[in-house]
């Protein structure tokens, strides 16, 4: 079914739409709405075009080593759980409403809105089965609500967004912003219309990946939750009721957390809204073949020695933050967990100056008998040690450093290992030609970005030694993605992974329900919802974590940070909680975008409170005088 859907999308994008410019003011007239809704076959292609609009929401800007659009995982770079060592954070501080990121995401939202509106207005006159027609209209209203929700949570806080229920062209996109309250009314009404459609299926589990009544309930509950937080209203009970209806539609938790993100388990009962991917490369441009229908997560987030049948050498430009890793709890026993604290594993760690903490992460130079493993290894470690202060250099253990640091990652929440590659863990990668696979160990420092069949591979230096896994920048030690990343030669193409990208899954629904229950001060209900998530991975839920409303609120938020790391969810959470300043910038100033302090921190950016409302793009207000400029931004 997946390949059928996307073959249709490819046809429609080539023959009927300008897929990249559908709402561009210079090209919006290219949409041939009159013909596309003239028959059921053409209408089916138009409906599939709405789903195509979900793809690749994030312009890469300067935070990966290419200029392209990226998948939902790329939102990680903006949130507390993700980072990049490039210059993406200029968005936060330069105050420039003309930044391409803002115009790109604005356009992405309105592309989806325009395609949905085209379907909603065109389908009623299509000669076809009425029940199927009603289903497609309900799908269109659900997707339109999703795009408007994203638009409102980014650009509409406090000032609202322009609301269109018709197809927009360059000459008709002249509305100013409706109020934020009106935007939420429009979103909720669209979802209510979809829910009330008698021909909208309860779920689409195991089938095409289309939205369903369960998706609409989940999105409407989320709309009530976000509206309550943003406008200081109380729609929490309505949110809870909708979240409970999602389960009544047949959705639930998939049994295996790590298995959720595998191609073999696509269409499982947890997925409410996804981007479907296939391993194909469709179009080429001046910069080479771009991933049009597969995810580029392998290319931009995987370890250096990961790859695919066609390529090796992944970039890991987007990484996991130290804050996200430290947030995963320690499993003490079957009934007890505790907050992770470095001092529990390495006494004095927290008191060690940031730049000197690399001493704890260095690899062994000696074996258990006190004999140097290899001169090259000793040389590289000594180079790092030369940067350690005299007061802390003695904390290095030549034959015990690896065991000491590894212990800090053991007996932790299993989602840590399932989601993140930590120091001294292993990974199955490829060789220099992607013709064979082997195990790599993430040691640091690496002797170079080399493969196990290279002339200077560690396995050739020391008999029986596994080669060292590296990041794209071997000078630093970073936490890398394991979630979504394929091992060995599972993939046909490095930059078009076939693994579907989850946008909304049932775990998200349960944790949003817990949030709403906390705000209603139903702490036992919130605990019960969180327990379902944690029971799946064998982590007990402590009563003390719900001892008060304030404690419970913080705990549910931390649970969301654990559950969705790497999925592009956290940034939007921090935005609606208005916690991004504390969790991103104040922590980043201490952790400097990496684990160890192995090299100089990245650029320093100053927080701006205006960040919580993205600016209406500069080119939009210049072309439409009815749009209000967003306060706090430079136009």
């Amino acid at each position: 079914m997946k390949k059928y859907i996307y073959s249709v999308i490819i046809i429609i994008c080539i023959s009927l739409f300008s897929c990249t410019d559908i709402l561009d003011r210079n090209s919006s007239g290219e949409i041939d709405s009159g013909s596309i809704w003239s028959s059921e076959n053409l209408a089916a292609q138009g409906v599939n075009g709405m789903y195509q609009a979900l793809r690749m929401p994030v312009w890469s800007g300067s935070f990966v080593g290419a200029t392209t659009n990226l998948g939902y995982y790329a939102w990680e770079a903006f949130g507390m759980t993700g980072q990049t060592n490039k210059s993406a954070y200029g968005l936060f501080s330069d105050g420039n409403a003309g930044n391409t990121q803002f115009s790109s995401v604005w356009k992405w939202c309105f592309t989806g809105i325009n395609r949905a509106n085209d379907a909603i207005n065109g389908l009623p006159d299509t000669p076809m089965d009425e029940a199927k027609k009603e289903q497609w209209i309900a799908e269109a209203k659900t997707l339109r609500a999703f795009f408007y929700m994203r638009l409102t949570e980014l650009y509409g806080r406090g000032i609202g967004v322009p609301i269109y229920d018709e197809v927009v062209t360059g000459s008709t996109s002249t509305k100013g912003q409706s109020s934020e309250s009106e935007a939420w009314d429009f979103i909720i009404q669209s979802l209510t219309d979809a829910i009330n459609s008698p021909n909208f299926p309860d779920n689409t589990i195991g089938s095409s990946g289309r939205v369903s009544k369960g998706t609409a309930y989940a999105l409407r509950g989320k709309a009530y939750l976000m509206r309550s937080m943003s406008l200081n209203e109380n729609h929490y009970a309505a949110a809870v009721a909708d979240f409970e209806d999602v389960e009544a539609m047949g959705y639930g938790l998939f049994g295996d957390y790590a298995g959720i993100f595998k191609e073999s388990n696509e269409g499982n009962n947890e997925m409410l809204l996804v981007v479907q991917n296939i391993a194909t490369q469709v179009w080429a441009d001046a910069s080479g073949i771009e991933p049009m229908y597969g995810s580029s997560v392998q290319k931009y987030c995987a370890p250096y020695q990961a790859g695919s049948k066609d390529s090796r050498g992944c970039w890991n430009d987007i990484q996991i933050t130290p804050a996200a890793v430290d947030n995963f709890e320690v499993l003490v026993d079957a009934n007890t967990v505790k907050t992770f604290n470095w001092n529990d594993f390495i006494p004095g760690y927290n008191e060690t100056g940031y730049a000197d903490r690399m001493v704890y992460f260095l690899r062994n130079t000696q074996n258990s008998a006190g004999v140097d493993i290899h001169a090259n290894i000793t040389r590289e470690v000594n180079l790092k040690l030369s940067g350690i202060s005299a007061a802390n250099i003695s904390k290095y253990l030549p034959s015990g450093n690896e065991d000491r640091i590894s212990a800090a990652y053991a007996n932790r929440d299993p989602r840590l290992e399932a989601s993140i590659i930590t120091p001294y863990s292993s990974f199955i990668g490829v060789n220099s030609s992607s013709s064979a696979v082997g195990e790599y160990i993430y040691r640091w420092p690496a002797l170079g970005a080399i493969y196990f069949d290279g002339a200077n591979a560690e396995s050739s230096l020391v008999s029986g030694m596994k080669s060292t896994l590296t990041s794209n920048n071997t000078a630093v030690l970073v936490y890398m993605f394991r979630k979504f990343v394929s091992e060995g030669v599972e993939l046909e193409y490095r930059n078009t992974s076939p693994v579907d990208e989850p946008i909304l899954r049932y775990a998200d629904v349960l944790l949003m329900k817990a949030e709403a229950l906390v705000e209603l001060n139903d702490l036992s209900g919130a605990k019960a919802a969180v327990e379902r998530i944690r029971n799946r991975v064998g982590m007990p839920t402590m009563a003390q974590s719900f001892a008060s409303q304030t404690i419970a609120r913080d705990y549910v938020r931390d649970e969301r940070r654990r559950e969705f790391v790497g999925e592009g969810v956290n940034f939007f959470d921090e935005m609606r909680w208005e916690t991004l300043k504390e969790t991103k910038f104040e922590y980043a100033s201490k952790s400097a975008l990496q684990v160890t302090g192995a090299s100089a921190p990245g650029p320093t950016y100053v927080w701006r409170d205006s960040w919580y409302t993205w600016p209406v793009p500069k080119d939009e207000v210049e072309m439409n005088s009815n749009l209000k400029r967003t306060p706090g931004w430079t136009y």
Side-chain angles (χ1 to χ4, degrees):
M1 178 63 75
K2 179 196 292 188
K3 290 184 178 180
Y4 167 73
I5 288 175
Y6 279 98
S7 66
V8 172
I9 290 174
I10 293 168
I11 292 170
I12 188 173
C13 289
I14 294 174
S15 63
L16 295 173
F17 291 113
S18 170
C19 282
T20 58
D21 297 322
I22 191 168
L23 205 67
D24 189 303
R25 292 172 186 273
N26 296 321
S27 63
S28 54
E30 296 175 10
I31 305 171
D32 188 2
S33 299
S35 62
I36 198 171
W37 308 112
S38 62
S39 72
E40 181 174 343
N41 284 341
L42 286 176
Q45 296 178 27
V47 170
N48 286 332
M50 299 186 308
Y51 287 90
Q52 161 67 14
L54 289 168
R55 301 189 61 78
M56 295 187 292
V58 184
W59 180 67
S60 67
S62 56
F63 61 93
V64 301
T67 301
T68 184
N69 285 332
L70 304 172
Y72 290 76
Y73 64 85
W75 290 116
E76 286 294 300
F78 299 120
M80 169 268 209
T81 56
Q83 65 183 29
T84 170
N85 54 5
K86 299 186 183 295
S87 56
Y89 306 110
L91 279 174
F92 292 89
S93 61
D94 64 13
N96 179 15
N99 191 292
T100 304
Q101 187 66 250
F102 301 131
S103 57
S104 176
V105 176
W106 177 277
K107 180 179 175 180
W108 173 74
C109 290
F110 272 110
T111 297
I113 290 165
N114 213 39
R115 292 190 188 185
N117 279 335
D118 200 7
I120 292 164
N121 290 284
L123 278 167
D125 295 327
T126 303
M128 60 178 292
D129 176 74
E130 288 298 317
K132 184 179 291 186
K133 181 190 298 186
E134 290 177 9
Q135 176 185 338
W136 287 355
I137 291 173
E139 290 180 34
K141 289 185 175 181
T142 301
L143 290 176
R144 181 177 67 182
F146 167 76
F147 284 110
Y148 256 117
M149 189 179 301
R150 192 120 292 184
L151 188 76
T152 302
E153 63 185 321
L154 288 174
Y155 302 90
R157 187 189 301 269
I159 65 171
V161 296
I163 297 175
Y164 293 96
D165 59 5
E166 71 281 347
V167 177
V168 176
T169 66
S171 62
T172 61
S173 55
T174 58
K175 288 186 177 181
Q177 290 101 325
S178 296
S179 69
E180 184 182 355
S181 178
E182 289 172 313
W184 288 120
D185 285 343
F186 184 73
I187 290 165
I188 290 168
Q189 186 59 56
S190 293
L191 293 165
T192 300
D193 290 346
I195 289 167
N196 290 339
S197 175
N199 293 295
F200 202 19
D202 290 351
N203 65 71
T204 52
I205 298 168
S207 57
S208 65
R210 291 182 182 271
V211 294
S212 66
K213 190 169 294 189
T215 313
Y217 272 123
L219 289 174
R220 192 174 70 174
K222 185 175 184 179
Y224 282 130
L225 181 66
M226 290 196 296
R227 177 179 187 149
S228 298
M229 291 183 171
S230 182
L231 298 179
N232 196 26
E233 299 175 351
N234 188 341
H235 303 281
Y236 295 113
V240 170
D242 276 351
F243 294 145
E244 289 177 346
D245 280 331
V246 176
E247 187 166 17
M249 296 297 102
Y251 291 97
L253 292 177
F254 186 68
D256 173 20
Y257 179 78
I260 297 171
F261 313 103
K262 301 295 184 183
E263 185 182 15
S264 58
N265 294 319
E266 289 174 354
N268 65 68
N269 64 325
E270 188 159 339
M271 297 303 187
L272 288 147
L273 180 59
V274 301
V275 172
Q276 287 190 297
N277 289 313
I278 54 174
T280 186
Q281 300 187 29
V282 182
W283 294 333
D285 59 19
S287 64
I289 295 176
E290 292 293 332
M292 298 301 298
Y293 298 102
S295 169
S296 53
V297 66
Q298 185 87 354
K299 181 175 181 179
Y300 298 119
C301 300
Y304 187 90
Q305 286 101 337
S308 58
K309 293 177 182 177
D310 77 317
S311 186
R312 83 288 181 273
C314 297
W315 299 0
N316 49 81
D317 289 338
I318 303 174
Q319 307 138 12
I320 308 296
T321 61
V325 174
D326 293 353
N327 187 47
F328 285 92
E329 297 162 305
V330 178
L331 180 62
V332 178
D333 57 43
N335 301 307
T336 312
V337 297
K338 67 177 182 179
T339 301
F340 174 78
N341 186 326
W342 276 107
N343 276 7
D344 291 341
F345 296 89
I346 304 175
Y349 178 98
N350 296 332
E351 292 71 38
T352 302
Y354 171 74
D356 279 358
R357 287 181 185 172
M358 76 165 108
V359 71
Y360 302 116
F361 292 86
L362 295 170
R363 64 191 298 172
N364 295 343
T365 55
Q366 297 178 354
N367 60 26
S368 58
V371 177
D372 278 11
I373 296 169
H374 194 277
N376 290 6
I377 296 172
T378 301
R379 180 195 67 222
E380 293 301 316
V381 171
N382 283 341
L383 284 173
K384 298 297 182 186
L385 286 172
S386 66
I388 302 295
S389 69
N392 288 312
I393 197 168
S394 62
K395 295 177 180 178
Y396 175 68
L397 307 176
S399 63
N401 237 41
E402 294 181 21
D403 288 342
R404 181 174 60 181
I405 202 68
S406 295
Y409 303 109
N411 298 318
R412 302 279 291 276
D413 185 325
R415 289 171 294 185
L416 173 59
E417 182 179 0
S419 303
I420 301 167
I421 296 174
T422 56
Y424 304 99
S425 62
S426 65
F427 185 85
I428 303 300
V430 299
N431 67 349
S432 58
S433 62
S434 284
S435 60
V437 303
E439 183 182 14
Y440 291 89
I441 307 296
Y442 191 16
R443 297 186 182 92
W444 188 77
L447 301 188
I450 53 177
Y451 297 90
F452 63 78
D453 60 339
N456 294 316
E458 293 183 23
S459 53
S460 66
L461 296 178
V462 181
S463 177
M465 190 174 214
K466 302 294 184 183
S467 287
T468 293
L469 180 67
T470 66
S471 67
N472 193 38
N473 179 358
T474 58
V476 299
L477 181 70
V478 295
Y479 294 119
M480 291 182 281
F481 277 59
R482 193 184 297 274
K483 186 184 287 185
F484 300 120
V485 170
S486 296
E487 295 191 309
V489 288
E490 293 176 348
L491 298 185
E492 292 292 329
Y493 308 107
R494 179 187 60 172
N495 60 349
T496 54
S497 169
V499 178
D500 288 350
E501 292 178 83
I503 302 173
L504 180 64
R505 53 188 178 89
Y506 186 67
D508 200 343
V509 171
L510 278 176
L511 290 175
M512 286 190 292
K513 177 184 175 182
E515 277 193 78
L517 289 169
V518 168
E519 299 309 318
L520 293 169
N521 210 26
D522 181 357
L523 303 187
S524 62
K527 180 175 180 288
V530 171
E531 276 182 318
R532 294 180 61 184
I533 301 291
R534 294 172 62 83
N535 286 346
R536 171 166 62 182
V537 293
M539 290 293 285
T541 306
M542 309 292 289
Q544 65 200 42
S545 300
F546 294 84
S548 72
Q549 189 178 44
T550 299
I551 291 171
R553 182 183 294 118
D554 289 341
Y555 192 78
V556 172
R557 290 177 179 182
D558 276 342
E559 187 64 16
R560 290 185 63 82
R561 294 171 179 128
R562 290 185 279 266
E563 177 71 18
F564 303 115
V565 64
E567 297 181 50
V569 171
N570 172 258
F571 168 63
F572 296 97
D573 282 348
E574 306 291 343
M575 287 280 280
R576 65 188 170 89
W577 299 332
E578 295 193 1
T579 53
L580 196 63
K581 176 184 178 182
E582 294 77 20
T583 61
K584 183 72 172 180
F585 285 83
E586 294 184 358
Y587 189 94
S589 68
K590 301 172 185 174
S591 62
L593 305 180
Q594 55 197 49
V595 175
T596 68
S599 64
T604 299
Y605 296 106
V606 179
W607 170 258
R608 299 170 62 94
D609 288 338
S610 57
W611 177 255
Y612 287 126
T613 302
W614 278 20
V616 177
K618 183 174 184 289
D619 58 350
E620 294 291 331
V621 299
E622 289 175 346
M623 289 185 285
N624 178 3
S625 61
N626 292 317
L627 285 171
K628 293 178 292 186
R629 287 168 165 78
T630 306
W633 295 88
T634 302
Y635 283 86

